Amino acid sequence: QVQLVESGGGLVQAGGSLRLSCAASGNIFSIHAMGWYRQAPGAQRELVATIASGGRTNYADSVKGRFTISRDNAKNTVLLQMNGLKPEDTAVYYCNAELYVVDQYDGMDYWGKGTLVTVSS
């Protein structure tokens, strides 16, 4: 059983900062990549940022220069530092991991339950 535990969401004023964290646990053999996605009401779920096992990162254009993704491979944890938050950043943020379970042939995507980030004007 694999579990992704998220923390750090909440309410913040525009211009403020939050840091999201997500720790993967369970019978994990290896993690290929981890990332964050978000979904606002009535909108499609969209990529925010991803980081591969080797450290390569990818960001949505809307968050470049404001958000920073990082990971601690030893702890199977991914972090998202969010600075200069805007009201349009308001969404449910979901942690994602592409990983292999011990003795499993195929890699699979796993998702956290989501954490709500609300940015007030």
Side-chain angles (χ1 to χ4, degrees), residues 20-22 34-36 51 69-71 76-80 95:
L20 305 182
S21 65
C22 173
M34 300 185 75
W36 292 92
I51 183 166
I69 190 169
S70 61
R71 66 187 293 173
N76 290 335
T77 298
V78 62
L79 304 174
L80 185 69
C95 178

Side-chain angles (χ1 to χ4, degrees), residues 46-91:
E46 64 178 357
L47 180 147
V48 178
T50 61
I51 183 166
S53 59
R56 186 175 64 184
T57 58
N58 184 49
Y59 295 92
D61 289 340
S62 60
V63 307
K64 286 181 179 178
R66 299 188 297 120
F67 293 8
T68 302
I69 190 169
S70 61
R71 66 187 293 173
D72 185 337
N73 291 332
K75 297 180 179 179
N76 290 335
T77 298
V78 62
L79 304 174
L80 185 69
Q81 179 67 45
M82 304 185 294
N83 298 326
L85 284 163
K86 304 174 180 179
E88 51 262 45
D89 295 318
T90 296

